[in-house]
Amino acid sequence: MQPSYTCWRCLRAQLSQASKRRTVQWTACRTITTAPKDAKRVPQPKPTNAFSKAASTFAKSSASRPADSELYGGPSSYLPPQQRVLLQQDNLFHSFTNSPSPEIRKRAAFLRHNAYCSNPSHLPTRAPTSPNDSEANKVSTSGQLPPAHVDFECPDCGIPVSCCEEHWAEDYEAHLQICDTLRQINEDDHDLRSGRFFTEFEYPGPQIEEAMVNMTNWDTLLYTREFQALNEDRHMRQATRLLTYPVTLGSVIHELSPYSIRKGGRLTVEGLKSLSALRYTLHPARDGAGLDIKGLRPNPPPVRIFILGARAESSLPREVWVQLAYMFPRATFHLIFIGPESMANRDAEFPLPERTAENPFGAVVEDRLSHQLKISTIVDYFHTVYQTGQFAPYDPYFDCFMLFHPGLGHPASSHEWEQTLPALLETKIPIICTGYTEHDMQRDRSWVAEKANGEYDLLMEPGENIFRSWRWDLNDLDPTDISCGNWGVWAFRGKRYETTSKDI
């Protein structure tokens, strides 16, 4: 390399001119502009497909609004007026009512019109769904106050939790148990609309097979999968909120699963039998396959994962689900979302395909995502599909059911699973379930035990999911009800009877 004879003054002049022309990285949400109306608008680079879809999972781009000088300052004050973000990282806490984000202000209005005050002096509005439900503390007696919607926002968490300041003060000790978590939810929601660059939504591609993943916890998994370093707790919460769906499924069926039959491993003997069959397909032995003619080998069919009762997981960015395929380098997957709400938040894909002889259920098929992954979506109940034999036969080596927060035992949704449960048990293949809370998970297991009449085998004991979401979610119908995605996981299947021989 030849030396450069340019003086340092010229170099500094060239660098300063280049920095002026350089465009600042795009942000997830629309930025606020303080430029004059007649100023020429600077075109912004388009975001990558992965991040734009990931950001739309939580919220759409925030609408522009007049600039508020108090929102700016700090590290980004040097940015041009057209590229200043909405909120800085040290200015994420705002009350829902006075939020700079229009979507959060709409959410505050929804809370005020639908959520009720949890003070015990009010009459109950519904039957309690759990021992921790705020309605369980209310008693129907004469002299009680009528139900009242929430209106007073806690100054510490910024979320409407009581009908008035007096009732908030009376319940202050109970509210302190969740106040810090509610404030964390508040800041995380504002962070999604802050306009910063989300490095946690940049996902790695495939890696060499010899670089095996470590499923001890989130940190080891993200490190061995070569994700970008997430040094902030908030970044970790945002990342795990999406990745918890494919990683929870992969952590159960992978051969390096953290769940085992050792003491405390939660896996039962029957569970080891079922998962061993799946792992035999997911981790095939090397057969000398190659790219030339001599390396041609017959490929097995893809492993079918039936995701029943699909809601939010069906609208996840496809780059998130591709991470599941990257965990199994020599396997292929066919994800089948089935449920009446499986097309939620996917308005751009309507209208649905017509039902024809080749596509009897009008499935939406996505087969160009990856050479390892194909996704189909069916807007119907599984027992309806099962009765037609559309996916029969079901093979324990190639098939598996996944139920994310199914609400099997919830009073409002258990009736929808009455006809589906017998069909699931007849297939004799693993059924993996998750729950929002421990009570939700135990309620589902009790319902299955009651309805199955002993005709089921427990594959994995209920317990906390190692790869649960670190971000907490707020129930807009009850501000005292907080949960996190995939908090717990357990598994079962229809009871199998082994034929044995006996010498007489």
Side-chain angles (χ1 to χ4, degrees), residues 265-488:
R266 294 168 49 189
L267 197 66
T268 64
V269 175
E270 292 298 325
L272 182 61
K273 294 178 182 178
S274 291
L275 294 181
S276 295
L278 266 178
R279 292 167 182 171
Y280 181 82
T281 306
L282 293 172
H283 304 277
R286 293 186 178 275
D287 54 1
L291 300 178
D292 54 358
I293 298 298
K294 295 182 179 180
L296 292 178
R297 299 290 186 275
N299 294 324
V303 175
R304 300 185 300 181
I305 307 293
F306 298 90
I307 303 177
L308 308 187
R311 296 187 298 274
E313 56 270 21
S314 67
S315 61
L316 281 177
R318 295 317 183 217
E319 289 77 6
V320 177
W321 283 113
V322 171
Q323 295 300 311
L324 173 65
Y326 290 158
M327 297 167 64
F328 302 88
R330 281 183 283 148
T332 56
F333 289 91
H334 183 192
L335 303 184
I336 306 172
F337 297 108
I338 302 178
E341 300 177 72
S342 57
M343 288 297 293
N345 300 324
R346 297 170 62 178
D347 297 340
E349 302 179 46
F350 282 95
L352 298 177
E354 295 183 3
R355 300 198 175 198
T356 61
E358 294 80 9
N359 191 6
F361 291 96
V364 179
V365 181
E366 305 168 66
D367 58 352
R368 295 294 184 269
L369 302 174
S370 168
H371 70 281
Q372 291 182 266
L373 181 65
K374 174 183 175 181
I375 295 181
S376 300
T377 305
I378 298 178
V379 186
D380 212 328
Y381 289 101
F382 174 74
H383 58 263
T384 304
V385 180
Y386 179 79
Q387 292 169 0
T388 63
Q390 173 72 8
F391 296 106
Y394 297 90
D395 193 330
Y397 283 83
F398 291 94
D399 297 329
C400 175
F401 288 108
M402 185 71 215
L403 282 63
F404 292 107
H405 318 114
L408 299 175
H410 195 281
S413 59
S414 59
H415 65 280
E416 297 182 345
W417 296 96
E418 290 280 355
Q419 301 181 51
T420 303
L421 182 63
L424 292 176
L425 298 178
E426 287 180 7
T427 61
K428 311 297 183 183
I429 62 177
I431 307 165
I432 307 171
C433 300
T434 65
Y436 284 113
T437 62
E438 183 177 6
H439 175 77
D440 180 38
M441 183 175 52
Q442 295 293 348
R443 180 176 55 192
D444 290 350
R445 179 187 176 182
S446 301
W447 185 86
V448 170
E450 177 185 354
K451 298 297 180 180
N453 296 321
E455 292 298 317
Y456 79 101
D457 291 323
L458 190 64
L459 305 185
M460 189 168 69
E461 295 284 348
E464 185 175 357
N465 178 18
I466 295 176
F467 296 101
R468 69 173 180 87
S469 170
W470 283 14
R471 180 185 167 182
W472 293 92
D473 298 313
L474 174 68
N475 183 359
D476 290 348
L477 299 177
D478 183 4
T480 63
D481 181 19
I482 56 177
S483 59
C484 65
N486 300 322
W487 182 91

Side-chain angles (χ1 to χ4, degrees), residues 24 96 108 152 166 223 328 378 467 483 503:
V24 180
F96 270 27
F152 179 78
E166 290 75 11
Y223 178 77
F328 302 88
I378 298 178
F467 296 101
S483 59
D503 297 333

Side-chain angles (χ1 to χ4, degrees), residues 26-194:
W26 57 271
T27 54
C29 301
R30 189 178 299 173
T31 56
I32 293 178
T33 175
T34 56
K37 293 184 178 179
D38 56 350
K40 186 176 180 180
R41 184 170 298 176
V42 179
Q44 299 291 331
K46 294 183 179 180
T48 59
N49 190 33
F51 179 78
S52 62
K53 290 184 179 180
S56 64
T57 305
F58 297 107
K60 298 177 182 177
S61 297
S62 300
S64 59
R65 58 188 294 269
D68 298 326
S69 59
E70 64 271 12
L71 297 180
Y72 302 120
S76 65
S77 59
Y78 63 88
L79 293 177
Q82 297 91 340
Q83 295 159 352
R84 287 177 177 168
V85 296
L86 177 64
L87 294 173
Q88 302 299 330
Q89 289 300 295
D90 58 352
N91 189 30
L92 294 178
F93 176 72
H94 297 271
S95 66
F96 270 27
T97 302
N98 301 317
S99 171
S101 170
E103 290 193 351
I104 295 182
R105 294 199 298 269
K106 290 180 181 178
R107 189 178 185 185
F110 182 88
L111 281 164
R112 284 189 164 86
H113 284 85
N114 295 276
Y116 289 92
C117 179
S118 60
N119 191 280
S121 60
H122 292 285
L123 290 171
T125 58
R126 54 178 172 78
T129 58
S130 69
N132 299 325
D133 194 339
S134 60
E135 296 293 318
N137 299 326
K138 300 179 181 179
V139 182
S140 299
T141 58
S142 59
Q144 293 286 96
L145 296 175
H149 291 287
V150 297
D151 186 64
F152 179 78
E153 286 183 336
C154 172
D156 297 324
C157 63
I159 296 177
V161 292
S162 299
C163 63
C164 60
E165 185 175 2
E166 290 75 11
H167 283 183
W168 169 78
E170 291 178 6
D171 295 342
Y172 186 66
E173 291 187 5
H175 176 69
L176 278 180
Q177 300 177 4
I178 61 173
C179 187
D180 290 341
T181 305
L182 291 178
R183 184 185 178 98
Q184 186 183 100
I185 295 173
N186 184 330
E187 294 180 355
D188 287 347
D189 284 345
H190 280 94
D191 177 55
L192 287 171
R193 298 160 177 85
S194 65

